[in-house]
Amino acid sequence: MDTVALAQAVIAGDRRALARAVTLVESARPDHRAAALALGEAMRAAGRQALRIGLTGTPGVGKSTFIEAFGLHLTGQGLRVAVLAVDPSSARTGGSILGDKTRMERLARDPRAFIRPSPSQGALGGVARRTREVLALVEGAGFDVAIVETVGVGQSETLVADLTDLFVLLLAPAGGDELQGVKRGIMERADLILVNKADGALRAEAERARADHASALRLMRPRAEDLGTPPEAICISALTGDGIADAWNRMRDIAGRRQAAGVIRDRRRTQAQAAFVAEFRAGLLAWAEARPELRDALAPAADAVARGLSTPEAAAAGVLARLDPD
Amino acid sequence: MDTVALAQAVIAGDRRALARAVTLVESARPDHRAAALALGEAMRAAGRQALRIGLTGTPGVGKSTFIEAFGLHLTGQGLRVAVLAVDPSSARTGGSILGDKTRMERLARDPRAFIRPSPSQGALGGVARRTREVLALVEGAGFDVAIVETVGVGQSETLVADLTDLFVLLLAPAGGDELQGVKRGIMERADLILVNKADGALRAEAERARADHASALRLMRPRAEDLGTPPEAICISALTGDGIADAWNRMRDIAGRRQAAGVIRDRRRTQAQAAFVAEFRAGLLAWAEARPELRDALAPAADAVARGLSTPEAAAAGVLARLDPD
């Protein structure tokens, strides 16, 4: 199948075509890259958008159970839902294909859902680059909601917040943010906090945690994109389903408010411009490292720096002097 | 004065030459850059090292008072001390030349001390790049101790920790780390915590804060570079001078232990290699942005992305296609 036919099949809703397109986008082969760019352009021309929801939470907080319950709630309303993951550990260890589908077994079997595990290779930045392109594919394929999930480690949350329209933080009922390993910067990015496991014996504790987070959120500087409305914190139980419908209603409210004010359009524009700069820089570096006159000079220069025979600045300038002047 | 003569004067201990050399290093002019590289190589060849101490703490914690008391303690022992600053706010607002010298008035007049304010321009990453080169200058000039100070905001602390041999965190006696705005990552990088203002009415509170931090430090994963010795927390008073000598003794202990184990050498090698990569990337980007065939294409491509007429990936690939293939 050529790229044009593949793009048409993706847009027509062919799931196998979508899976093939995602594989192409995640491939590092130069011919695949050219096809991926053409696919991306075809998706852009299709002009479809999903609501992009970023979701983070530390391990053990119940992200999979939540996504399964939340995703089934959406598909139950006739919505088509894609679930993608940006997983730094997977970026290191080589993917979690079985993991992602078995931990959300019912959602994985739902014909209105599409679950795509983390790309199986590459540095975190590279994984995020490809996730951006996969998001465009599922949008072109007509999905209504795209959930980008990440485990709250390192910088992956910031990357996910930068890829999405709204950002949801899932917390456990117990302990402060510090105990849950949630970084302050993430709390500041959250548009909605869901305190999970608000069931059985933990119910009261969850309510206390919710009240604490709600006060903390009210103290934060109001963000322009929310027109003065501070982010909220609510209790849910992914296990019993309590609060799942409420969570979706609040997300729709935030999205609707932002959509009406043009905030989503502006955010996406800013995100696209940042992605352009990042792509340009990454591509430039790849080009330079493939140039024989640089490639052959980089290793000896790095070695001279390591052995203290050259300053980093002079060594870098020496390598760069091999580029054509202009 | 040519570059060779300037380098010789710096190495001979001429303070005016050192000030001129720092100005050259901080300049963005291409001819100054070439001179700066030559100066850096001359300093490297001189083979002198200072103990590089990174110092951070949120505003109001008493950094200036501490540096003045600490610096005078060192010069009182016959040591030569340089004080540099990496200040993100200064990077935005355009320097703090008067500020740095007036807030450490006695130290500024001490002939064994050299105080250099933050570079007055450039992005934070650029400020850190130049601070690295200024460090090499004060080492070449024979200073025994170089203090690199930063206000604990954003990513400046990480940059400073990456520039130095040991990293000291100055805290106020009251409140948890969260209240003081200290990020978890910074606590993890600290080699020594100084609880300041342990005088008068705050004495007992400072001791409580010290004990809290000492327990927290003991719970952290021991670091290989300290051969199992956890970082310590002590009380000081920059106002009365209590604990200043103790702080210096502990820093010397840490430095001596690391020096003996080869840790400082290894760290500096790693730092130099990272600086080489950063310099290469920054220089490559500057080269590319100056190439007419790229420069002329970048703005229209960014514009097409902003207007939704091109994907970021295709737009970046289009610009990069103008580079010579190889």
Coordinates of all heavy atoms in Angstrom, one line a residue, chain A residues 9 16 27 41 54 61 103 106 108 133 140 164 173 196 206 214 219 223 232 253 277 280 282 289 312:
Chain A
A9 N -6.9 5.1 4.0 CA -7.4 4.0 4.8 C -7.5 4.5 6.3 O -8.5 4.1 7.0 CB -6.6 2.8 4.7
R16 N -6.4 -1.5 11.1 CA -5.1 -2.1 10.7 C -4.2 -1.1 10.0 O -3.0 -1.0 10.2 CB -5.3 -3.3 9.8 CG -5.8 -4.5 10.6 CD -5.8 -5.8 9.8 NE -4.5 -6.1 9.2 CZ -4.3 -6.8 8.1 NH1 -5.4 -7.3 7.4 NH2 -3.1 -7.0 7.6
S27 N 9.2 4.4 13.3 CA 10.4 3.8 12.8 C 11.5 4.8 12.6 O 11.2 6.0 12.3 CB 10.0 3.2 11.4 OG 11.2 2.9 10.7
E41 N 1.1 15.1 7.0 CA 0.5 16.2 6.1 C -0.9 15.8 5.8 O -1.8 16.6 5.8 CB 1.4 16.5 4.9 CG 2.6 17.3 5.2 CD 2.2 18.8 5.6 OE1 1.1 19.2 5.4 OE2 3.0 19.4 6.3
G54 N -3.9 14.8 28.8 CA -2.7 14.3 29.5 C -3.0 13.7 30.8 O -3.8 14.3 31.6
V61 N -0.9 4.3 41.8 CA -2.0 5.2 42.1 C -3.3 4.7 41.4 O -4.4 5.2 41.7 CB -1.6 6.7 41.7 CG1 -1.7 6.9 40.2 CG2 -2.5 7.7 42.4
R103 N -3.2 -4.8 30.9 CA -3.7 -4.1 32.1 C -4.9 -3.3 31.9 O -5.5 -2.8 32.8 CB -2.5 -3.2 32.7 CG -2.1 -2.1 31.8 CD -0.7 -1.5 32.3 NE -0.3 -0.6 31.3 CZ -0.5 0.8 31.4 NH1 -1.3 1.2 32.3 NH2 0.0 1.6 30.5
R106 N -10.5 -5.0 29.2 CA -11.8 -4.8 28.6 C -11.8 -3.6 27.6 O -12.4 -3.7 26.5 CB -12.8 -4.4 29.7 CG -13.3 -5.7 30.5 CD -14.2 -5.3 31.6 NE -15.5 -4.7 31.1 CZ -16.2 -3.8 31.8 NH1 -15.9 -3.5 33.0 NH2 -17.3 -3.3 31.2
A108 N -9.3 -2.7 25.8 CA -8.5 -3.2 24.7 C -9.4 -3.9 23.7 O -9.1 -3.9 22.5 CB -7.3 -4.0 25.1
E133 N 3.4 12.8 16.7 CA 2.9 12.4 15.4 C 1.8 11.3 15.5 O 0.9 11.3 14.6 CB 4.1 11.9 14.6 CG 5.1 13.0 14.2 CD 6.3 12.5 13.4 OE1 6.1 12.2 12.2 OE2 7.4 12.4 14.0
G140 N -6.6 12.1 12.9 CA -7.0 11.9 11.5 C -7.9 10.7 11.3 O -8.8 10.7 10.5
T164 N -0.7 18.2 25.1 CA -2.1 17.9 25.3 C -2.9 19.2 25.5 O -2.3 20.3 25.7 CB -2.4 17.0 26.4 OG1 -1.6 17.4 27.6 CG2 -1.9 15.6 26.1
P173 N -5.1 8.5 47.8 CA -5.8 9.3 48.9 C -4.8 9.7 50.0 O -5.0 10.6 50.7 CB -6.8 8.3 49.5 CG -6.5 7.0 48.9 CD -5.7 7.2 47.7
N196 N -7.9 9.3 43.7 CA -8.5 8.0 43.4 C -8.6 7.1 44.7 O -8.2 7.6 45.7 CB -7.5 7.2 42.4 CG -8.2 6.0 41.8 OD1 -9.4 5.8 41.8 ND2 -7.3 5.1 41.2
A206 N -9.5 10.0 51.5 CA -9.5 10.6 50.1 C -10.1 12.0 50.2 O -9.6 12.9 49.5 CB -10.3 9.7 49.2
A214 N -7.5 20.9 47.0 CA -8.3 22.0 46.5 C -7.8 23.3 47.1 O -7.8 24.3 46.3 CB -9.8 21.7 46.9
L219 N -4.7 28.5 46.0 CA -3.7 29.5 46.3 C -2.8 29.8 45.2 O -2.0 30.7 45.2 CB -2.8 28.9 47.5 CG -3.5 28.9 48.9 CD1 -2.6 28.2 49.9 CD2 -3.8 30.3 49.3
R223 N -4.5 31.0 36.1 CA -3.9 31.0 34.8 C -4.7 31.7 33.8 O -6.0 31.5 33.8 CB -3.6 29.6 34.4 CG -2.4 29.0 35.2 CD -2.3 27.6 34.9 NE -3.5 26.8 35.4 CZ -3.5 25.5 35.4 NH1 -2.5 24.8 35.0 NH2 -4.6 24.9 35.9
E232 N -9.7 22.3 39.8 CA -10.4 21.7 40.9 C -9.8 20.3 41.3 O -9.1 19.8 40.5 CB -11.9 21.5 40.5 CG -12.6 22.8 40.2 CD -14.0 22.5 39.6 OE1 -14.1 21.9 38.5 OE2 -15.0 22.9 40.2
D253 N -16.1 20.5 30.7 CA -16.3 21.9 31.0 C -15.0 22.7 30.8 O -15.1 23.8 30.2 CB -16.7 22.1 32.5 CG -18.1 21.6 32.8 OD1 -18.8 21.4 31.8 OD2 -18.5 21.5 34.0
V277 N 10.7 23.9 16.3 CA 12.1 24.3 16.7 C 12.8 23.0 17.2 O 13.9 22.8 16.8 CB 12.0 25.3 17.9 CG1 13.4 25.5 18.5 CG2 11.5 26.6 17.4
F280 N 13.7 20.9 14.2 CA 14.8 21.5 13.4 C 16.1 21.2 14.1 O 17.1 20.8 13.5 CB 14.5 23.0 13.3 CG 15.7 23.7 12.6 CD1 15.9 23.5 11.2 CD2 16.5 24.5 13.3 CE1 17.0 24.2 10.6 CE2 17.6 25.2 12.7 CZ 17.8 25.0 11.4
A282 N 16.9 18.8 16.3 CA 17.2 17.4 16.3 C 17.7 17.0 14.9 O 18.7 16.2 14.8 CB 16.0 16.6 16.8
E289 N 26.0 15.1 12.6 CA 26.7 13.9 13.1 C 26.9 12.9 12.0 O 27.7 12.0 12.1 CB 26.0 13.3 14.3 CG 26.2 14.2 15.5 CD 25.4 13.7 16.7 OE1 24.5 12.9 16.5 OE2 25.6 14.2 17.8
P312 N 36.7 22.5 26.5 CA 35.5 22.1 25.8 C 35.2 23.1 24.7 O 34.8 22.8 23.6 CB 34.4 22.1 26.9 CG 35.1 21.9 28.2 CD 36.5 22.6 28.0

